[in-house]
Amino acid sequence: MAESSSRLKRRRTRSMDEPPEFTRDSSNILPKDQLQCSICMDVFTDPVTTSCGHNFCRSCLTHCWDKSTQCHCPLCKEKFTKRPELKINTTLRRVADHFKKKGEVDKPEVLCDACTGMKQKALKSCLDCAVTFCESHLEPHHNVLKLRKHKLINPVKNLEDYRCQKHEKPFEWFCRDDQICGCQWCIEADHRNHNIIHIEEEINNMKTQLGQTQTEVQQMIQDRLKKIKEINHSVELSKKNTEKEKSDSIKTFTDLIHSIEKSQTEMLKMMEEKQKVVENQAERFIKDLQQEITELQRRKTELEKLLNTEEHLNLLQVHPTICSPSTTKNWTDISINTDPDVETLRTSLSQLQKTLDKKLNKTLNEKLIETELKRIQQYAVDVTLDPDTANLFLVLSDDGKQITHENTKQNLPDIPKRFTNYCFIMGKQSFSSGRFYYEVQVSGKTEWSLGVARESVNRKGRITLRPQEGFWAVVLTNRDENKVYAGPSVLLSLKEKPQKVGVFVDYEEGLVSFYDVENRVHIYSYTGQMFTEKLYPYFCPCLNDEGRNAAPLIITPVINTE
């Protein structure tokens, strides 16, 4: 009990400068990588924290900013308009200092070789004397002129590893040819004509290289962390898009269900009205029949009386009247006719079914194309036109996004990359893997062609827009026909003329697809292609046709309609 009170008392009287209690337990100390400066990769010394939340040694960050014209975080690259005033993070410094002290305690002590009694902790090791000294025994090396020239290093147990055992001299030189250390005698005897450098200089060079490698590795780590962040962002974006698509799909199908239910209600109402008409007609017929039956019953009674009467004179008088034809209807051809209504009902049901099927198919197709476009628009790339490939009759805009055909030939050199016989041009960007997508405005034009082409296509002679020749393209002719070259020409039947065309390529899948962006229509796809070299975006505005086709092809930014 007394021991517990003593511990409690010591805990209460702990100094404010002492590290937090959790640091006393080695199992609770923060891992070293969380206490390392990302510049020197060592435990923090006087750590400071930037406004972006990252920590560095004060001297490391100051030195980094002194060498740069602009202050930025070495870790996340956030720029600061004004050089921040650095203040030491006292809490982090306590933890780091405690970590250093603990590390020193954990290291095995090197003892003085000169002590005869109880050996003291060593302060330095002398490579010339081959002896490790404590503070008191090291004193002559500070005062005696001859000893002051000796080489001192931090105390080590394996001091013989730092000395030449053959000549009993400290290592001073490093042979780069043989990759070994040697003393002065070794160098003169065995490495006279070799590439020799002082060992300290080589160590500094190696540290510099290690520092550079460490910086590169740190940058690689940051790049990968950034990529992980991008991937997670893509997943979140995909999740968000999926939820929106699910919501839109539910709404679409709900609207369809409501439409079907409405049509069903109208049809049931029509059937009920038709049944009501039949019932009313039957009710009228039955009423008339019952009236005629009543009248006929009355006549039957009268006839029975006359048959049994003895008054023959009376019978002769009433006989012509009672035996005259009946005024009742002829019910032989009268019936409840429901056939016209049934036929109308069948026709209405058939028309309704066709309308619903057409509407459903159109809605589903539009939804599928819209979903597909949203997916591939995530692979949008920034494409600019390459003037070195442009035919001499093509004129580019200053931003490299528009191309038109002019009748005047440009005064430009005929270099190997340039198309000479056709008004073709390629994009600057090339792609040899992955997926990419871009959009081109074609409104106002009567002829155009665009797609992708491989790097090695013929640029000087006759060209055919076919995959065999290295072109995957769609073409609009002056007859307003959308024609695709896929081996034999394939004529397309599009309801509306495209105003903006999207081009999507999946290199590994061998897929090139074209879309009418505004009308959400799939135009054509080349599938099962084999790409073995770089692909470039390809464009052809065609001849201006005396101004009738003067509108430019324009590479437009991709806008994902969410």
Side-chain angles (χ1 to χ4, degrees):
M1 185 71 176
E3 184 179 355
S4 299
S5 300
S6 178
R7 286 201 304 269
L8 181 60
K9 184 177 181 181
R10 287 198 302 272
R11 184 180 304 168
R12 289 175 176 172
T13 56
R14 177 168 57 84
S15 169
M16 288 298 292
D17 293 331
E18 188 177 350
E21 188 68 25
F22 72 89
T23 60
R24 296 171 183 241
D25 183 358
S26 61
S27 65
N28 289 330
I29 291 181
L30 291 172
K32 185 178 179 180
D33 60 351
Q34 295 188 26
L35 296 173
Q36 280 183 333
C37 170
S38 60
I39 299 176
C40 67
M41 298 307 291
D42 203 350
V43 179
F44 290 121
T45 300
D46 292 337
V48 293
T49 305
T50 60
S51 59
C52 55
H54 296 119
N55 301 300
F56 307 93
C57 297
R58 182 172 185 173
S59 59
C60 292
L61 188 57
T62 301
H63 183 64
C64 178
W65 285 352
D66 287 342
K67 294 191 300 180
S68 176
T69 57
Q70 188 173 19
C71 296
H72 64 274
C73 174
L75 201 57
C76 68
K77 308 303 181 184
E78 180 178 337
K79 295 180 180 180
F80 307 113
T81 55
K82 182 180 179 182
R83 182 163 179 164
E85 182 181 351
L86 301 177
K87 294 184 179 180
I88 295 175
N89 187 328
T90 55
T91 302
L92 186 57
R93 180 174 65 179
R94 291 175 189 170
V95 178
D97 289 347
H98 179 77
F99 188 93
K100 291 179 182 178
K101 292 177 182 178
K102 185 180 183 307
E104 293 174 358
V105 171
D106 291 342
K107 292 180 181 178
E109 287 188 350
V110 180
L111 302 179
C112 177
D113 294 332
C115 291
T116 55
M118 182 158 179
K119 293 186 176 292
Q120 300 296 316
K121 179 180 176 181
L123 184 62
K124 293 288 182 181
S125 293
C126 178
L127 295 179
D128 293 280
C129 300
V131 178
T132 298
F133 298 104
C134 63
E135 185 176 4
S136 59
H137 287 109
L138 186 64
E139 190 66 26
H141 280 74
H142 297 313
N143 301 324
V144 179
L145 182 61
K146 185 178 180 180
L147 297 180
R148 287 169 64 181
K149 296 180 179 180
H150 286 192
K151 179 66 175 178
L152 299 177
I153 62 173
N154 290 330
V156 292
K157 281 192 173 183
N158 54 335
L159 191 56
E160 63 276 3
D161 294 342
Y162 294 80
R163 291 170 51 84
C164 173
Q165 300 303 309
K166 181 179 179 181
H167 302 104
E168 296 185 351
K169 295 289 185 180
F171 289 135
E172 295 184 70
W173 302 93
F174 180 76
C175 177
R176 287 180 169 174
D177 295 335
D178 297 332
Q179 291 292 300
I180 59 173
C181 298
C183 66
Q184 184 67 37
W185 296 101
C186 293
I187 297 302
E188 292 178 358
D190 303 324
H191 308 274
R192 184 179 298 275
N193 296 321
H194 291 184
N195 184 8
I196 305 301
I197 187 171
H198 198 277
I199 194 169
E200 290 186 358
E201 185 179 352
E202 182 66 7
I203 289 173
N204 289 334
N205 291 338
M206 289 182 176
K207 285 185 176 180
T208 300
Q209 293 177 358
L210 288 173
Q212 292 174 349
T213 303
Q214 185 183 52
T215 302
E216 292 172 0
V217 170
Q218 181 66 23
Q219 185 59 49
M220 291 172 67
I221 292 172
Q222 295 305 315
D223 291 343
R224 280 147 183 78
L225 290 173
K226 183 179 179 181
K227 180 57 67 175
I228 290 173
K229 186 176 180 180
E230 290 176 357
I231 292 173
N232 287 333
H233 177 69
S234 297
V235 171
E236 289 298 321
L237 183 61
S238 176
K239 183 179 179 181
K240 180 180 177 182
N241 291 339
T242 300
E243 292 299 324
K244 187 176 185 301
E245 289 168 6
K246 285 168 61 179
S247 176
D248 292 345
S249 298
I250 291 172
K251 184 179 183 302
T252 300
F253 285 105
T254 300
D255 291 343
L256 282 172
I257 291 171
H258 287 165
S259 178
I260 293 172
E261 289 176 346
K262 182 180 178 181
S263 300
Q264 184 184 38
T265 301
E266 292 175 354
M267 189 58 60
L268 291 174
K269 184 178 179 180
M270 188 195 317
M271 294 170 68
E272 290 174 356
E273 289 177 352
K274 171 252 179 190
Q275 179 63 27
K276 190 174 181 180
V277 170
V278 171
E279 290 177 355
N280 289 338
Q281 186 182 33
E283 185 178 349
R284 289 196 305 271
F285 287 166
I286 291 171
K287 184 178 180 180
D288 291 345
L289 284 168
Q290 287 176 342
Q291 289 178 352
E292 290 188 4
I293 289 171
T294 301
E295 179 63 24
L296 290 171
Q297 288 287 358
R298 185 186 64 77
R299 291 185 65 188
K300 178 183 175 185
T301 302
E302 290 179 357
L303 289 171
E304 287 178 351
K305 288 180 179 180
L306 289 172
L307 285 172
N308 297 322
T309 185
E310 295 296 336
E311 297 177 4
H312 301 292
L313 183 59
N314 186 36
L315 177 62
L316 291 174
Q317 292 176 346
V318 298
H319 179 271
T321 304
I322 201 71
C323 292
S324 62
S326 174
T327 58
T328 58
K329 295 180 183 178
N330 183 4
W331 293 92
T332 304
D333 296 326
I334 296 177
S335 64
I336 303 299
N337 188 1
T338 61
D339 289 343
D341 293 330
V342 171
E343 187 60 34
T344 302
L345 178 63
R346 287 175 180 171
T347 303
S348 299
L349 284 173
S350 177
Q351 291 176 348
L352 176 62
Q353 182 66 40
K354 290 179 181 179
T355 302
L356 289 176
D357 288 345
K358 185 177 180 181
K359 184 176 181 181
L360 180 61
N361 289 333
K362 181 181 179 182
T363 302
L364 288 176
N365 287 333
E366 289 177 351
K367 178 56 67 176
L368 287 172
I369 295 299
E370 183 176 359
T371 301
E372 185 177 355
L373 264 176
K374 286 181 180 179
R375 178 182 64 82
I376 65 177
Q377 282 176 335
Q378 297 179 19
Y379 300 100
V381 294
D382 185 18
V383 174
T384 52
L385 299 164
D386 185 359
D388 291 339
T389 66
N391 179 273
L392 296 177
F393 287 93
L394 296 181
V395 177
L396 281 67
S397 61
D398 292 338
D399 62 358
K401 298 292 185 179
Q402 300 185 31
I403 183 71
T404 55
H405 175 266
E406 300 289 346
N407 294 325
T408 304
K409 190 175 183 180
Q410 307 294 311
N411 185 18
L412 297 171
D414 183 12
I415 56 179
K417 292 173 59 177
R418 192 180 305 283
F419 289 96
T420 55
N421 291 6
Y422 298 87
C423 50
F424 292 174
I425 186 173
M426 285 189 178
K428 286 184 179 180
Q429 294 73 21
S430 65
F431 305 90
S432 56
S433 64
R435 302 166 180 170
F436 63 94
Y437 173 83
Y438 63 94
E439 294 178 351
V440 184
Q441 181 178 313
V442 296
S443 58
K445 298 192 65 61
T446 59
E447 290 186 271
W448 51 262
S449 174
L450 55 91
V452 292
R454 64 183 177 222
E455 186 176 27
S456 63
V457 293
N458 177 27
R459 307 188 188 208
K460 302 301 179 183
R462 181 176 176 81
I463 297 175
T464 305
L465 295 179
R466 300 177 181 231
Q468 296 89 331
E469 303 294 331
F471 289 90
W472 293 266
V474 291
V475 179
L476 177 75
T477 69
N478 57 8
R479 295 183 299 276
D480 285 348
E481 293 175 341
N482 284 283
K483 182 181 292 185
V484 173
Y485 294 92
S489 297
V490 178
L491 287 174
L492 300 179
S493 297
L494 298 178
K495 292 183 179 180
E496 297 185 57
K497 184 178 177 181
Q499 303 300 308
K500 183 184 292 186
V501 176
V503 183
F504 172 69
V505 177
D506 188 327
Y507 194 95
E508 283 73 23
E509 288 294 325
L511 173 69
V512 182
S513 294
F514 300 87
Y515 297 87
D516 180 343
V517 178
E518 294 184 354
N519 294 316
R520 294 292 192 264
V521 174
H522 171 249
I523 298 176
Y524 188 80
S525 286
Y526 293 90
T527 59
Q529 306 299 304
M530 183 65 70
F531 302 132
T532 57
E533 56 183 279
K534 293 179 180 178
L535 295 179
Y536 288 82
Y538 147 82
F539 311 86
C540 175
C542 296
L543 303 179
N544 64 31
D545 193 19
E546 297 181 351
R548 287 185 288 270
N549 190 37
L553 286 180
I554 305 174
I555 303 171
T556 59
V558 175
I559 301 174
N560 194 327
T561 56
E562 294 296 337

